[in-house]
Every structure is written in structure tokens, then in C-alpha cells.
Amino acid sequence: MARAERLLSLLQVLRRHKRPVSGARLAQELGISIRTLYRDIASLQAQGADIEGEPGVGYVLRPSFMLPPLMFSQAELEALILGFRWVEKFADEPLTKAAGDAMAKISTVLPDSLRDSLDSTALRVGPRVIQDTERVDLGIARTAIRLQRKLSITYIDGAGQESERVIWPFSLGYFQRFRILVGWCELKGDFRHFRTDRIRGLVSLEESYPRHRADLFKQWRAIQTELSYVPDT
């Protein structure tokens, strides 16, 4: 492994750990000697990385540090390209535009050798099988999820019945044929899955829901026997 790639890998490992991690564990993860690890940490600290700790205590990377030169391995770059291409094809319009903008930003700071890989990679995403059918702005839903705000929706179920719901949204799933908004439904007193193409009205409320989004997601995952996002009926 080249030294530059090794230093980048060390930063990535440190970013995954929120608490101090021992030098022995870091060296084991990277497949290097403890002496090499200490030299690499000293090199990163000299370049401005805010790594705190010492031998026998452990090391932690403070979140303020950003590596100036943006570098990716070939596999990481291919994963990014594939992900961006999927979003550009299957997400709603604001996200497809954001994906293109993000890819352009990354392209401008990549070395020439990696920038060429953006267009030459053989990875492709299959054809889109549906057109956007939402009548509402999914950006409102994403913002409500991020801010943990309640949503008021008008929903048409599979039987064609219309209902007014207040939900606590915590997840938005993107699939090839449809999209699913997942939340706690106050009307049903339970978790529900709403196909976004059946939502006829969507309003973000000022009121925050009383539980943390991560707790709702954890509880929802715990009761799922399989990943089958069945729309509310």
C-alpha cells in the first residue's frame, strides 16, 4: 500500500471511531506495524490533522479536520459514481440535480488520473421504468424528517379511500417503481408506509414530534421481519 493511500486509510479508520482507539487496534485494522502507525500519526499531525492521544492511551480524530486534497481509491470512486448515477435516474428532481452538482464539485478537485475515471467507468445503472407521479414536493418531506417535524398529509389508499393523517416521518425509501414515506401515524397509532404517488396533499407542521427520529427508526426496524415496505391500506 502506498504511503499516501495508507495515511488516507488511517484517517478513514479514525473517522469511524468516535472514542479513543488503541494504537494496536489501529495497526491491526490497517495491517501495519505499530512503529509505522506511530510514524503515520505523527505525519498526519504535522499536516494539521487534529489527532489527540498518545501511545498506551489511544487516539481520536477531532471532527474539525478535513483533508485538503480529496483522494479516493478506485473502488471508492466507482462506488460514488454508481451511487450518483442511481440517484440521477431514480430520485425526485431536486435530488437528481443535487447529485449532478455534487459530482461536478468532486470532479473539480480530483487528480487528473481519477477525474478521467468519472466518464470511463464501465458501471451503469439500468433503465428507469416509471415516470415521476408525485403531486407533492418530496423536499418538504425530507426537511420534515431532518427537523423531526410532523407532517399533515392527504392520502389515497390502495382501495381508493381518502384520509387525512398527521404522521411523524423518519424515513424516505427510493425504489425503482415507487417511493415510500415511513412514519408513525397518529390516526392508526402505529407505523405506516405511504406510497408518495398516493399522497395528494403534504404540509409540514411547526410542531416537532415527541420522540427522536433515531429511536423511531430503531423501533421500526426491530419489528420488521423482512424489508417489505408495504404501503398503508
Side-chain angles (χ1 to χ4, degrees), residues 160-194:
Q161 298 297 312
E162 180 177 311
S163 61
E164 300 292 332
R165 313 286 188 98
V166 174
I167 66 172
W168 310 349
F170 59 86
S171 184
L172 185 58
Y174 288 79
F175 302 88
Q176 288 189 3
R177 296 186 178 276
F178 52 80
R179 296 156 191 152
I180 296 292
L181 178 62
V182 187
W184 177 270
C185 177
E186 292 187 354
L187 178 66
K188 300 293 186 178
D190 201 354
F191 294 108
R192 286 292 187 268
H193 309 85
F194 303 94

PDB file of all heavy atoms in Angstrom, residues 160-194:
ATOM      1  N   GLY A 160     -58.643   3.201  -2.825  1.00  0.00           N
ATOM      2  CA  GLY A 160     -59.173   4.468  -3.312  1.00  0.00           C
ATOM      3  C   GLY A 160     -59.808   5.330  -2.245  1.00  0.00           C
ATOM      4  O   GLY A 160     -60.416   6.359  -2.559  1.00  0.00           O
ATOM      5  N   GLN A 161     -59.644   4.948  -0.977  1.00  0.00           N
ATOM      6  CA  GLN A 161     -60.221   5.711   0.121  1.00  0.00           C
ATOM      7  C   GLN A 161     -59.277   6.845   0.540  1.00  0.00           C
ATOM      8  O   GLN A 161     -58.089   6.634   0.727  1.00  0.00           O
ATOM      9  CB  GLN A 161     -60.481   4.799   1.330  1.00  0.00           C
ATOM     10  CG  GLN A 161     -61.483   3.686   1.054  1.00  0.00           C
ATOM     11  CD  GLN A 161     -62.851   4.229   0.719  1.00  0.00           C
ATOM     12  OE1 GLN A 161     -63.382   5.100   1.409  1.00  0.00           O
ATOM     13  NE2 GLN A 161     -63.445   3.706  -0.363  1.00  0.00           N
ATOM     14  N   GLU A 162     -59.836   8.033   0.683  1.00  0.00           N
ATOM     15  CA  GLU A 162     -59.044   9.204   1.060  1.00  0.00           C
ATOM     16  C   GLU A 162     -59.121   9.425   2.566  1.00  0.00           C
ATOM     17  O   GLU A 162     -60.177   9.249   3.181  1.00  0.00           O
ATOM     18  CB  GLU A 162     -59.540  10.442   0.323  1.00  0.00           C
ATOM     19  CG  GLU A 162     -58.766  11.706   0.668  1.00  0.00           C
ATOM     20  CD  GLU A 162     -59.228  12.904  -0.140  1.00  0.00           C
ATOM     21  OE1 GLU A 162     -59.340  12.772  -1.387  1.00  0.00           O
ATOM     22  OE2 GLU A 162     -59.501  13.955   0.473  1.00  0.00           O
ATOM     23  N   SER A 163     -58.004   9.807   3.162  1.00  0.00           N
ATOM     24  CA  SER A 163     -57.974  10.091   4.595  1.00  0.00           C
ATOM     25  C   SER A 163     -56.979  11.203   4.879  1.00  0.00           C
ATOM     26  O   SER A 163     -56.037  11.433   4.113  1.00  0.00           O
ATOM     27  CB  SER A 163     -57.603   8.840   5.404  1.00  0.00           C
ATOM     28  OG  SER A 163     -56.310   8.376   5.040  1.00  0.00           O
ATOM     29  N   GLU A 164     -57.214  11.891   5.976  1.00  0.00           N
ATOM     30  CA  GLU A 164     -56.297  12.927   6.447  1.00  0.00           C
ATOM     31  C   GLU A 164     -55.461  12.342   7.586  1.00  0.00           C
ATOM     32  O   GLU A 164     -56.005  11.762   8.529  1.00  0.00           O
ATOM     33  CB  GLU A 164     -57.066  14.154   6.942  1.00  0.00           C
ATOM     34  CG  GLU A 164     -57.936  14.805   5.883  1.00  0.00           C
ATOM     35  CD  GLU A 164     -57.123  15.465   4.780  1.00  0.00           C
ATOM     36  OE1 GLU A 164     -55.974  15.895   5.062  1.00  0.00           O
ATOM     37  OE2 GLU A 164     -57.626  15.538   3.641  1.00  0.00           O
ATOM     38  N   ARG A 165     -54.162  12.477   7.497  1.00  0.00           N
ATOM     39  CA  ARG A 165     -53.274  11.896   8.502  1.00  0.00           C
ATOM     40  C   ARG A 165     -52.310  12.947   9.023  1.00  0.00           C
ATOM     41  O   ARG A 165     -51.890  13.855   8.288  1.00  0.00           O
ATOM     42  CB  ARG A 165     -52.441  10.751   7.915  1.00  0.00           C
ATOM     43  CG  ARG A 165     -53.207   9.717   7.091  1.00  0.00           C
ATOM     44  CD  ARG A 165     -54.047   8.799   7.931  1.00  0.00           C
ATOM     45  NE  ARG A 165     -54.604   7.722   7.104  1.00  0.00           N
ATOM     46  CZ  ARG A 165     -54.080   6.499   7.020  1.00  0.00           C
ATOM     47  NH1 ARG A 165     -52.993   6.197   7.703  1.00  0.00           N
ATOM     48  NH2 ARG A 165     -54.661   5.598   6.248  1.00  0.00           N
ATOM     49  N   VAL A 166     -51.916  12.800  10.271  1.00  0.00           N
ATOM     50  CA  VAL A 166     -50.765  13.505  10.831  1.00  0.00           C
ATOM     51  C   VAL A 166     -49.744  12.425  11.171  1.00  0.00           C
ATOM     52  O   VAL A 166     -50.044  11.484  11.917  1.00  0.00           O
ATOM     53  CB  VAL A 166     -51.128  14.317  12.085  1.00  0.00           C
ATOM     54  CG1 VAL A 166     -49.850  14.902  12.718  1.00  0.00           C
ATOM     55  CG2 VAL A 166     -52.093  15.444  11.729  1.00  0.00           C
ATOM     56  N   ILE A 167     -48.565  12.536  10.598  1.00  0.00           N
ATOM     57  CA  ILE A 167     -47.555  11.499  10.791  1.00  0.00           C
ATOM     58  C   ILE A 167     -46.251  12.101  11.307  1.00  0.00           C
ATOM     59  O   ILE A 167     -46.001  13.297  11.168  1.00  0.00           O
ATOM     60  CB  ILE A 167     -47.298  10.723   9.483  1.00  0.00           C
ATOM     61  CG1 ILE A 167     -46.668  11.649   8.425  1.00  0.00           C
ATOM     62  CG2 ILE A 167     -48.573  10.091   8.966  1.00  0.00           C
ATOM     63  CD1 ILE A 167     -46.221  10.905   7.178  1.00  0.00           C
ATOM     64  N   TRP A 168     -45.438  11.219  11.887  1.00  0.00           N
ATOM     65  CA  TRP A 168     -44.099  11.588  12.339  1.00  0.00           C
ATOM     66  C   TRP A 168     -43.117  10.935  11.368  1.00  0.00           C
ATOM     67  O   TRP A 168     -42.744   9.774  11.536  1.00  0.00           O
ATOM     68  CB  TRP A 168     -43.829  11.097  13.741  1.00  0.00           C
ATOM     69  CG  TRP A 168     -44.886  11.436  14.763  1.00  0.00           C
ATOM     70  CD1 TRP A 168     -45.947  12.298  14.635  1.00  0.00           C
ATOM     71  CD2 TRP A 168     -44.981  10.899  16.085  1.00  0.00           C
ATOM     72  NE1 TRP A 168     -46.679  12.341  15.775  1.00  0.00           N
ATOM     73  CE2 TRP A 168     -46.119  11.490  16.703  1.00  0.00           C
ATOM     74  CE3 TRP A 168     -44.226   9.984  16.810  1.00  0.00           C
ATOM     75  CZ2 TRP A 168     -46.510  11.185  18.005  1.00  0.00           C
ATOM     76  CZ3 TRP A 168     -44.604   9.675  18.109  1.00  0.00           C
ATOM     77  CH2 TRP A 168     -45.730  10.270  18.704  1.00  0.00           C
ATOM     78  N   PRO A 169     -42.681  11.617  10.338  1.00  0.00           N
ATOM     79  CA  PRO A 169     -41.853  10.991   9.302  1.00  0.00           C
ATOM     80  C   PRO A 169     -40.411  10.781   9.766  1.00  0.00           C
ATOM     81  O   PRO A 169     -39.822  11.653  10.399  1.00  0.00           O
ATOM     82  CB  PRO A 169     -41.915  12.006   8.163  1.00  0.00           C
ATOM     83  CG  PRO A 169     -42.053  13.324   8.872  1.00  0.00           C
ATOM     84  CD  PRO A 169     -42.910  13.050  10.078  1.00  0.00           C
ATOM     85  N   PHE A 170     -39.855   9.628   9.451  1.00  0.00           N
ATOM     86  CA  PHE A 170     -38.462   9.391   9.837  1.00  0.00           C
ATOM     87  C   PHE A 170     -37.649   8.686   8.757  1.00  0.00           C
ATOM     88  O   PHE A 170     -36.443   8.500   8.900  1.00  0.00           O
ATOM     89  CB  PHE A 170     -38.374   8.598  11.142  1.00  0.00           C
ATOM     90  CG  PHE A 170     -39.052   7.250  11.114  1.00  0.00           C
ATOM     91  CD1 PHE A 170     -38.384   6.131  10.642  1.00  0.00           C
ATOM     92  CD2 PHE A 170     -40.348   7.108  11.571  1.00  0.00           C
ATOM     93  CE1 PHE A 170     -38.996   4.896  10.613  1.00  0.00           C
ATOM     94  CE2 PHE A 170     -40.974   5.869  11.563  1.00  0.00           C
ATOM     95  CZ  PHE A 170     -40.301   4.758  11.074  1.00  0.00           C
ATOM     96  N   SER A 171     -38.286   8.303   7.649  1.00  0.00           N
ATOM     97  CA  SER A 171     -37.527   7.651   6.585  1.00  0.00           C
ATOM     98  C   SER A 171     -38.249   7.833   5.249  1.00  0.00           C
ATOM     99  O   SER A 171     -39.480   7.894   5.204  1.00  0.00           O
ATOM    100  CB  SER A 171     -37.357   6.151   6.881  1.00  0.00           C
ATOM    101  OG  SER A 171     -36.552   5.526   5.896  1.00  0.00           O
ATOM    102  N   LEU A 172     -37.453   7.917   4.183  1.00  0.00           N
ATOM    103  CA  LEU A 172     -38.000   8.024   2.833  1.00  0.00           C
ATOM    104  C   LEU A 172     -37.237   7.048   1.956  1.00  0.00           C
ATOM    105  O   LEU A 172     -36.026   7.185   1.764  1.00  0.00           O
ATOM    106  CB  LEU A 172     -37.852   9.453   2.306  1.00  0.00           C
ATOM    107  CG  LEU A 172     -38.479   9.784   0.955  1.00  0.00           C
ATOM    108  CD1 LEU A 172     -39.979   9.508   0.964  1.00  0.00           C
ATOM    109  CD2 LEU A 172     -38.219  11.249   0.583  1.00  0.00           C
ATOM    110  N   GLY A 173     -37.934   6.009   1.477  1.00  0.00           N
ATOM    111  CA  GLY A 173     -37.285   4.970   0.692  1.00  0.00           C
ATOM    112  C   GLY A 173     -37.474   5.175  -0.801  1.00  0.00           C
ATOM    113  O   GLY A 173     -38.586   5.460  -1.260  1.00  0.00           O
ATOM    114  N   TYR A 174     -36.397   5.024  -1.559  1.00  0.00           N
ATOM    115  CA  TYR A 174     -36.424   5.200  -3.014  1.00  0.00           C
ATOM    116  C   TYR A 174     -36.257   3.836  -3.681  1.00  0.00           C
ATOM    117  O   TYR A 174     -35.253   3.158  -3.476  1.00  0.00           O
ATOM    118  CB  TYR A 174     -35.305   6.144  -3.470  1.00  0.00           C
ATOM    119  CG  TYR A 174     -35.550   7.585  -3.105  1.00  0.00           C
ATOM    120  CD1 TYR A 174     -35.306   8.042  -1.820  1.00  0.00           C
ATOM    121  CD2 TYR A 174     -36.039   8.485  -4.048  1.00  0.00           C
ATOM    122  CE1 TYR A 174     -35.546   9.371  -1.479  1.00  0.00           C
ATOM    123  CE2 TYR A 174     -36.270   9.806  -3.727  1.00  0.00           C
ATOM    124  CZ  TYR A 174     -36.021  10.239  -2.437  1.00  0.00           C
ATOM    125  OH  TYR A 174     -36.254  11.559  -2.107  1.00  0.00           O
ATOM    126  N   PHE A 175     -37.238   3.457  -4.478  1.00  0.00           N
ATOM    127  CA  PHE A 175     -37.202   2.197  -5.197  1.00  0.00           C
ATOM    128  C   PHE A 175     -37.383   2.477  -6.693  1.00  0.00           C
ATOM    129  O   PHE A 175     -37.766   3.572  -7.093  1.00  0.00           O
ATOM    130  CB  PHE A 175     -38.313   1.262  -4.694  1.00  0.00           C
ATOM    131  CG  PHE A 175     -38.223   0.974  -3.217  1.00  0.00           C
ATOM    132  CD1 PHE A 175     -38.848   1.806  -2.292  1.00  0.00           C
ATOM    133  CD2 PHE A 175     -37.504  -0.114  -2.755  1.00  0.00           C
ATOM    134  CE1 PHE A 175     -38.754   1.562  -0.930  1.00  0.00           C
ATOM    135  CE2 PHE A 175     -37.414  -0.373  -1.397  1.00  0.00           C
ATOM    136  CZ  PHE A 175     -38.042   0.464  -0.481  1.00  0.00           C
ATOM    137  N   GLN A 176     -37.136   1.454  -7.512  1.00  0.00           N
ATOM    138  CA  GLN A 176     -37.220   1.666  -8.952  1.00  0.00           C
ATOM    139  C   GLN A 176     -38.643   1.988  -9.402  1.00  0.00           C
ATOM    140  O   GLN A 176     -38.850   2.771 -10.322  1.00  0.00           O
ATOM    141  CB  GLN A 176     -36.712   0.428  -9.688  1.00  0.00           C
ATOM    142  CG  GLN A 176     -35.206   0.250  -9.599  1.00  0.00           C
ATOM    143  CD  GLN A 176     -34.702  -0.851 -10.508  1.00  0.00           C
ATOM    144  OE1 GLN A 176     -35.469  -1.443 -11.256  1.00  0.00           O
ATOM    145  NE2 GLN A 176     -33.417  -1.124 -10.461  1.00  0.00           N
ATOM    146  N   ARG A 177     -39.645   1.400  -8.764  1.00  0.00           N
ATOM    147  CA  ARG A 177     -41.019   1.562  -9.231  1.00  0.00           C
ATOM    148  C   ARG A 177     -41.836   2.557  -8.406  1.00  0.00           C
ATOM    149  O   ARG A 177     -42.866   3.031  -8.869  1.00  0.00           O
ATOM    150  CB  ARG A 177     -41.722   0.203  -9.253  1.00  0.00           C
ATOM    151  CG  ARG A 177     -41.090  -0.757 -10.247  1.00  0.00           C
ATOM    152  CD  ARG A 177     -41.880  -2.041 -10.360  1.00  0.00           C
ATOM    153  NE  ARG A 177     -41.282  -2.935 -11.343  1.00  0.00           N
ATOM    154  CZ  ARG A 177     -41.501  -2.872 -12.645  1.00  0.00           C
ATOM    155  NH1 ARG A 177     -42.323  -1.967 -13.134  1.00  0.00           N
ATOM    156  NH2 ARG A 177     -40.897  -3.706 -13.475  1.00  0.00           N
ATOM    157  N   PHE A 178     -41.426   2.830  -7.180  1.00  0.00           N
ATOM    158  CA  PHE A 178     -42.160   3.794  -6.364  1.00  0.00           C
ATOM    159  C   PHE A 178     -41.290   4.245  -5.199  1.00  0.00           C
ATOM    160  O   PHE A 178     -40.181   3.737  -4.999  1.00  0.00           O
ATOM    161  CB  PHE A 178     -43.490   3.202  -5.848  1.00  0.00           C
ATOM    162  CG  PHE A 178     -43.338   1.863  -5.158  1.00  0.00           C
ATOM    163  CD1 PHE A 178     -42.903   1.774  -3.841  1.00  0.00           C
ATOM    164  CD2 PHE A 178     -43.638   0.696  -5.846  1.00  0.00           C
ATOM    165  CE1 PHE A 178     -42.762   0.543  -3.221  1.00  0.00           C
ATOM    166  CE2 PHE A 178     -43.498  -0.541  -5.224  1.00  0.00           C
ATOM    167  CZ  PHE A 178     -43.059  -0.611  -3.908  1.00  0.00           C
ATOM    168  N   ARG A 179     -41.806   5.206  -4.436  1.00  0.00           N
ATOM    169  CA  ARG A 179     -41.118   5.728  -3.256  1.00  0.00           C
ATOM    170  C   ARG A 179     -42.044   5.609  -2.054  1.00  0.00           C
ATOM    171  O   ARG A 179     -43.265   5.737  -2.192  1.00  0.00           O
ATOM    172  CB  ARG A 179     -40.699   7.180  -3.474  1.00  0.00           C
ATOM    173  CG  ARG A 179     -39.672   7.312  -4.605  1.00  0.00           C
ATOM    174  CD  ARG A 179     -39.677   8.681  -5.230  1.00  0.00           C
ATOM    175  NE  ARG A 179     -38.875   8.670  -6.455  1.00  0.00           N
ATOM    176  CZ  ARG A 179     -39.071   9.460  -7.478  1.00  0.00           C
ATOM    177  NH1 ARG A 179     -40.063  10.341  -7.453  1.00  0.00           N
ATOM    178  NH2 ARG A 179     -38.332   9.386  -8.551  1.00  0.00           N
ATOM    179  N   ILE A 180     -41.447   5.374  -0.892  1.00  0.00           N
ATOM    180  CA  ILE A 180     -42.231   5.130   0.311  1.00  0.00           C
ATOM    181  C   ILE A 180     -41.809   6.075   1.419  1.00  0.00           C
ATOM    182  O   ILE A 180     -40.613   6.186   1.743  1.00  0.00           O
ATOM    183  CB  ILE A 180     -42.048   3.670   0.796  1.00  0.00           C
ATOM    184  CG1 ILE A 180     -42.581   2.685  -0.236  1.00  0.00           C
ATOM    185  CG2 ILE A 180     -42.744   3.458   2.136  1.00  0.00           C
ATOM    186  CD1 ILE A 180     -44.075   2.716  -0.415  1.00  0.00           C
ATOM    187  N   LEU A 181     -42.794   6.770   1.999  1.00  0.00           N
ATOM    188  CA  LEU A 181     -42.563   7.607   3.169  1.00  0.00           C
ATOM    189  C   LEU A 181     -42.976   6.799   4.392  1.00  0.00           C
ATOM    190  O   LEU A 181     -44.098   6.297   4.472  1.00  0.00           O
ATOM    191  CB  LEU A 181     -43.390   8.890   3.068  1.00  0.00           C
ATOM    192  CG  LEU A 181     -43.302   9.873   4.243  1.00  0.00           C
ATOM    193  CD1 LEU A 181     -41.881  10.402   4.407  1.00  0.00           C
ATOM    194  CD2 LEU A 181     -44.279  11.039   4.030  1.00  0.00           C
ATOM    195  N   VAL A 182     -42.056   6.651   5.325  1.00  0.00           N
ATOM    196  CA  VAL A 182     -42.308   5.848   6.519  1.00  0.00           C
ATOM    197  C   VAL A 182     -42.447   6.768   7.721  1.00  0.00           C
ATOM    198  O   VAL A 182     -41.647   7.695   7.907  1.00  0.00           O
ATOM    199  CB  VAL A 182     -41.171   4.834   6.776  1.00  0.00           C
ATOM    200  CG1 VAL A 182     -41.528   3.895   7.924  1.00  0.00           C
ATOM    201  CG2 VAL A 182     -40.859   4.046   5.519  1.00  0.00           C
ATOM    202  N   GLY A 183     -43.468   6.529   8.539  1.00  0.00           N
ATOM    203  CA  GLY A 183     -43.657   7.366   9.714  1.00  0.00           C
ATOM    204  C   GLY A 183     -44.630   6.743  10.701  1.00  0.00           C
ATOM    205  O   GLY A 183     -45.287   5.734  10.415  1.00  0.00           O
ATOM    206  N   TRP A 184     -44.701   7.345  11.867  1.00  0.00           N
ATOM    207  CA  TRP A 184     -45.694   6.960  12.864  1.00  0.00           C
ATOM    208  C   TRP A 184     -46.974   7.732  12.569  1.00  0.00           C
ATOM    209  O   TRP A 184     -46.957   8.957  12.455  1.00  0.00           O
ATOM    210  CB  TRP A 184     -45.196   7.284  14.256  1.00  0.00           C
ATOM    211  CG  TRP A 184     -46.198   6.991  15.340  1.00  0.00           C
ATOM    212  CD1 TRP A 184     -47.140   7.836  15.848  1.00  0.00           C
ATOM    213  CD2 TRP A 184     -46.375   5.753  16.024  1.00  0.00           C
ATOM    214  NE1 TRP A 184     -47.890   7.222  16.813  1.00  0.00           N
ATOM    215  CE2 TRP A 184     -47.446   5.933  16.951  1.00  0.00           C
ATOM    216  CE3 TRP A 184     -45.740   4.511  15.958  1.00  0.00           C
ATOM    217  CZ2 TRP A 184     -47.880   4.922  17.797  1.00  0.00           C
ATOM    218  CZ3 TRP A 184     -46.167   3.502  16.805  1.00  0.00           C
ATOM    219  CH2 TRP A 184     -47.217   3.707  17.707  1.00  0.00           C
ATOM    220  N   CYS A 185     -48.082   7.009  12.403  1.00  0.00           N
ATOM    221  CA  CYS A 185     -49.352   7.627  12.048  1.00  0.00           C
ATOM    222  C   CYS A 185     -50.187   7.840  13.307  1.00  0.00           C
ATOM    223  O   CYS A 185     -50.508   6.871  14.023  1.00  0.00           O
ATOM    224  CB  CYS A 185     -50.097   6.733  11.054  1.00  0.00           C
ATOM    225  SG  CYS A 185     -51.726   7.366  10.594  1.00  0.00           S
ATOM    226  N   GLU A 186     -50.551   9.089  13.596  1.00  0.00           N
ATOM    227  CA  GLU A 186     -51.352   9.373  14.783  1.00  0.00           C
ATOM    228  C   GLU A 186     -52.757   8.781  14.663  1.00  0.00           C
ATOM    229  O   GLU A 186     -53.347   8.353  15.663  1.00  0.00           O
ATOM    230  CB  GLU A 186     -51.420  10.881  15.016  1.00  0.00           C
ATOM    231  CG  GLU A 186     -50.082  11.499  15.410  1.00  0.00           C
ATOM    232  CD  GLU A 186     -50.207  12.961  15.796  1.00  0.00           C
ATOM    233  OE1 GLU A 186     -51.314  13.532  15.641  1.00  0.00           O
ATOM    234  OE2 GLU A 186     -49.189  13.551  16.253  1.00  0.00           O
ATOM    235  N   LEU A 187     -53.287   8.716  13.439  1.00  0.00           N
ATOM    236  CA  LEU A 187     -54.624   8.170  13.248  1.00  0.00           C
ATOM    237  C   LEU A 187     -54.671   6.677  13.584  1.00  0.00           C
ATOM    238  O   LEU A 187     -55.601   6.205  14.253  1.00  0.00           O
ATOM    239  CB  LEU A 187     -55.076   8.398  11.806  1.00  0.00           C
ATOM    240  CG  LEU A 187     -56.456   7.834  11.434  1.00  0.00           C
ATOM    241  CD1 LEU A 187     -57.557   8.557  12.205  1.00  0.00           C
ATOM    242  CD2 LEU A 187     -56.688   7.947   9.927  1.00  0.00           C
ATOM    243  N   LYS A 188     -53.666   5.937  13.129  1.00  0.00           N
ATOM    244  CA  LYS A 188     -53.625   4.488  13.338  1.00  0.00           C
ATOM    245  C   LYS A 188     -52.915   4.101  14.629  1.00  0.00           C
ATOM    246  O   LYS A 188     -53.023   2.952  15.079  1.00  0.00           O
ATOM    247  CB  LYS A 188     -52.937   3.803  12.157  1.00  0.00           C
ATOM    248  CG  LYS A 188     -53.628   4.026  10.812  1.00  0.00           C
ATOM    249  CD  LYS A 188     -54.986   3.350  10.772  1.00  0.00           C
ATOM    250  CE  LYS A 188     -55.603   3.458   9.389  1.00  0.00           C
ATOM    251  NZ  LYS A 188     -56.915   2.772   9.302  1.00  0.00           N
ATOM    252  N   GLY A 189     -52.154   5.029  15.213  1.00  0.00           N
ATOM    253  CA  GLY A 189     -51.389   4.702  16.413  1.00  0.00           C
ATOM    254  C   GLY A 189     -50.347   3.634  16.172  1.00  0.00           C
ATOM    255  O   GLY A 189     -50.094   2.789  17.034  1.00  0.00           O
ATOM    256  N   ASP A 190     -49.716   3.680  14.999  1.00  0.00           N
ATOM    257  CA  ASP A 190     -48.755   2.642  14.627  1.00  0.00           C
ATOM    258  C   ASP A 190     -47.909   3.155  13.467  1.00  0.00           C
ATOM    259  O   ASP A 190     -48.198   4.197  12.876  1.00  0.00           O
ATOM    260  CB  ASP A 190     -49.494   1.372  14.217  1.00  0.00           C
ATOM    261  CG  ASP A 190     -48.611   0.128  14.318  1.00  0.00           C
ATOM    262  OD1 ASP A 190     -47.405   0.272  14.599  1.00  0.00           O
ATOM    263  OD2 ASP A 190     -49.142  -0.979  14.111  1.00  0.00           O
ATOM    264  N   PHE A 191     -46.862   2.385  13.149  1.00  0.00           N
ATOM    265  CA  PHE A 191     -46.051   2.721  11.997  1.00  0.00           C
ATOM    266  C   PHE A 191     -46.825   2.432  10.715  1.00  0.00           C
ATOM    267  O   PHE A 191     -47.551   1.446  10.621  1.00  0.00           O
ATOM    268  CB  PHE A 191     -44.754   1.901  12.004  1.00  0.00           C
ATOM    269  CG  PHE A 191     -43.836   2.226  13.142  1.00  0.00           C
ATOM    270  CD1 PHE A 191     -43.662   1.331  14.188  1.00  0.00           C
ATOM    271  CD2 PHE A 191     -43.149   3.425  13.180  1.00  0.00           C
ATOM    272  CE1 PHE A 191     -42.815   1.619  15.234  1.00  0.00           C
ATOM    273  CE2 PHE A 191     -42.295   3.737  14.226  1.00  0.00           C
ATOM    274  CZ  PHE A 191     -42.136   2.822  15.257  1.00  0.00           C
ATOM    275  N   ARG A 192     -46.654   3.294   9.714  1.00  0.00           N
ATOM    276  CA  ARG A 192     -47.306   3.115   8.441  1.00  0.00           C
ATOM    277  C   ARG A 192     -46.341   3.494   7.312  1.00  0.00           C
ATOM    278  O   ARG A 192     -45.420   4.280   7.494  1.00  0.00           O
ATOM    279  CB  ARG A 192     -48.583   3.954   8.342  1.00  0.00           C
ATOM    280  CG  ARG A 192     -49.739   3.396   9.172  1.00  0.00           C
ATOM    281  CD  ARG A 192     -50.209   2.082   8.590  1.00  0.00           C
ATOM    282  NE  ARG A 192     -51.398   1.568   9.228  1.00  0.00           N
ATOM    283  CZ  ARG A 192     -51.402   0.725  10.250  1.00  0.00           C
ATOM    284  NH1 ARG A 192     -50.247   0.341  10.783  1.00  0.00           N
ATOM    285  NH2 ARG A 192     -52.544   0.269  10.745  1.00  0.00           N
ATOM    286  N   HIS A 193     -46.608   2.903   6.132  1.00  0.00           N
ATOM    287  CA  HIS A 193     -45.798   3.138   4.947  1.00  0.00           C
ATOM    288  C   HIS A 193     -46.696   3.742   3.874  1.00  0.00           C
ATOM    289  O   HIS A 193     -47.718   3.152   3.525  1.00  0.00           O
ATOM    290  CB  HIS A 193     -45.199   1.826   4.440  1.00  0.00           C
ATOM    291  CG  HIS A 193     -44.506   1.042   5.502  1.00  0.00           C
ATOM    292  ND1 HIS A 193     -45.179   0.180   6.349  1.00  0.00           N
ATOM    293  CD2 HIS A 193     -43.199   0.997   5.873  1.00  0.00           C
ATOM    294  CE1 HIS A 193     -44.315  -0.373   7.185  1.00  0.00           C
ATOM    295  NE2 HIS A 193     -43.115   0.102   6.925  1.00  0.00           N
ATOM    296  N   PHE A 194     -46.316   4.906   3.350  1.00  0.00           N
ATOM    297  CA  PHE A 194     -47.163   5.640   2.410  1.00  0.00           C
ATOM    298  C   PHE A 194     -46.464   5.771   1.058  1.00  0.00           C
ATOM    299  O   PHE A 194     -45.369   6.352   0.983  1.00  0.00           O
ATOM    300  CB  PHE A 194     -47.483   7.036   2.957  1.00  0.00           C
ATOM    301  CG  PHE A 194     -48.155   7.029   4.301  1.00  0.00           C
ATOM    302  CD1 PHE A 194     -47.403   7.146   5.465  1.00  0.00           C
ATOM    303  CD2 PHE A 194     -49.530   6.898   4.409  1.00  0.00           C
ATOM    304  CE1 PHE A 194     -48.017   7.141   6.710  1.00  0.00           C
ATOM    305  CE2 PHE A 194     -50.157   6.894   5.644  1.00  0.00           C
ATOM    306  CZ  PHE A 194     -49.394   7.010   6.807  1.00  0.00           C
TER     307      PHE A 194
END
